[in-house]
Amino acid sequence: MKKSVIAKPITVLLACAVLFCSCGNSNADTNSAEASAVTEAAADISFVDLSKGASELFEPADGWCNGSMFNVTWRKDNCTFEDGKMQLIIDKDKTPVAVPYSGGEYRSKEFYGYGRYEVRMKAIKNDGVVSSFFTYTGPSDGNPWDEIDIEILGKDTAKVQFNYFTNGVGGHEYMYDLGFDASEDFHSYAFEWHKDKIVWFVDGVEVYTADKNIPVTEGKIMMNAWCGTGVDGWLKAFDDSKLPLTAEYESISFVPFE
């Protein structure tokens, strides 16, 4: 296992029904069973194949900016589905208000807890940007800030950064040398969230474990692509000479622990 340590990076990712009515006809029981089956299917996030387009279990963020280090406004138009993949796009914002750029974010509608989370993705190679996969919940959900991260920094796509926050306490960053360029092809990145530890994987191989102050609050499954501001020491200064920039995603999965 290769590793390198980064000096005090600042990383925050805040950060993301069917109505059925039967009116006394002979198909009521059949239709109710079908509706129940649809509800059960909708709850199954064991494998989301993004080659099939948008999933009813997820939604794009739209119309707001996280502020702080995030130099983008989330736009639903920056989350697209083409050529059998999902694209999260960083670009100049068409209607800039507070910040000049737009970013893409895709988030689950529901909250999930202990289990195995996995994504197959290709990151952006460009100074000043982040391509991510993570779980998050916080004050906007009426919860403590708990988060588990997989972040690929565009300044060096031969590494991946793992991190987590428990009730707003972070400082657990770890950089892992991949041995390949994450911007050149699709690879699988995963973590297993246990009560007493988090275990990260790359292409199915266990690469790092954390076992101190582990998050406990269920969170949304999220992916985003964004450019930073005021964090040049972490991301390098954002280079906007090659916009638009695109991170691509092939699949998402979550399998809960029994």
Side-chain angles (χ1 to χ4, degrees), residues 131-187:
S131 309
S132 72
F133 176 71
F134 61 107
T135 57
Y136 169 80
T137 191
S140 60
D141 304 313
N143 290 326
W145 171 15
D146 279 10
E147 179 175 342
I148 303 173
D149 297 318
I150 294 173
E151 301 164 304
I152 299 174
L153 312 185
K155 70 177 185 180
D156 186 356
T157 50
K159 297 181 176 68
V160 60
Q161 177 174 288
F162 306 135
N163 194 22
Y164 63 99
F165 292 81
T166 304
N167 197 21
V169 177
H172 306 290
E173 298 88 354
Y174 180 90
M175 293 294 285
Y176 175 75
D177 288 336
L178 292 167
F180 56 79
D181 188 331
S183 71
E184 292 183 350
D185 203 354
F186 289 88
H187 291 271

Side-chain angles (χ1 to χ4, degrees), residues 203-223:
D203 288 333
V205 178
E206 180 179 331
V207 297
Y208 182 63
T209 299
D211 59 6
K212 305 292 190 227
N213 195 28
I214 301 303
V216 298
T217 312
E218 293 186 347
K220 291 189 174 183
I221 302 171
M222 304 179 69
M223 294 135 279

Side-chain angles (χ1 to χ4, degrees), residues 12-227:
V12 180
L13 287 172
L14 296 177
C16 202
V18 175
L19 177 61
F20 178 81
C21 177
S22 174
C23 300
N25 60 55
S26 60
N27 293 325
D29 291 343
T30 300
N31 289 340
S32 294
E34 289 176 352
S36 177
V38 168
T39 301
E40 290 178 4
D44 180 13
I45 201 168
S46 59
F47 185 74
V48 176
D49 183 356
L50 296 173
S51 71
K52 297 179 179 179
S55 167
E56 64 180 1
L57 305 177
F58 287 77
E59 59 189 354
D62 186 44
W64 71 86
C65 177
N66 291 357
S68 183
M69 69 186 69
F70 292 81
N71 204 21
V72 299
T73 298
W74 305 120
R75 301 293 185 191
K76 64 181 180 180
D77 290 343
N78 290 46
C79 179
T80 60
F81 295 84
E82 297 178 359
D83 301 322
K85 301 169 184 65
M86 179 179 75
Q87 296 81 32
L88 296 182
I89 301 165
I90 301 169
D91 204 353
K92 290 185 177 179
D93 197 7
K94 295 177 182 178
T95 55
V97 179
V99 297
Y101 305 104
S102 58
E105 180 173 84
Y106 203 48
R107 52 172 63 195
S108 66
K109 297 176 182 178
E110 302 299 329
F111 296 78
Y112 301 89
Y114 300 123
R116 181 182 175 93
Y117 297 78
E118 188 161 0
V119 69
R120 188 164 176 84
M121 63 178 285
K122 182 166 66 172
I124 297 169
K125 187 182 187 72
N126 195 90
D127 286 352
V129 308
V130 177
S131 309
S132 72
F133 176 71
F134 61 107
T135 57
Y136 169 80
T137 191
S140 60
D141 304 313
N143 290 326
W145 171 15
D146 279 10
E147 179 175 342
I148 303 173
D149 297 318
I150 294 173
E151 301 164 304
I152 299 174
L153 312 185
K155 70 177 185 180
D156 186 356
T157 50
K159 297 181 176 68
V160 60
Q161 177 174 288
F162 306 135
N163 194 22
Y164 63 99
F165 292 81
T166 304
N167 197 21
V169 177
H172 306 290
E173 298 88 354
Y174 180 90
M175 293 294 285
Y176 175 75
D177 288 336
L178 292 167
F180 56 79
D181 188 331
S183 71
E184 292 183 350
D185 203 354
F186 289 88
H187 291 271
S188 295
Y189 307 89
F191 58 85
E192 291 184 353
W193 179 13
H194 303 262
K195 291 182 180 181
D196 60 349
K197 64 183 177 180
I198 306 167
V199 184
W200 284 267
F201 300 80
V202 175
D203 288 333
V205 178
E206 180 179 331
V207 297
Y208 182 63
T209 299
D211 59 6
K212 305 292 190 227
N213 195 28
I214 301 303
V216 298
T217 312
E218 293 186 347
K220 291 189 174 183
I221 302 171
M222 304 179 69
M223 294 135 279
N224 57 29
W226 54 281
C227 55

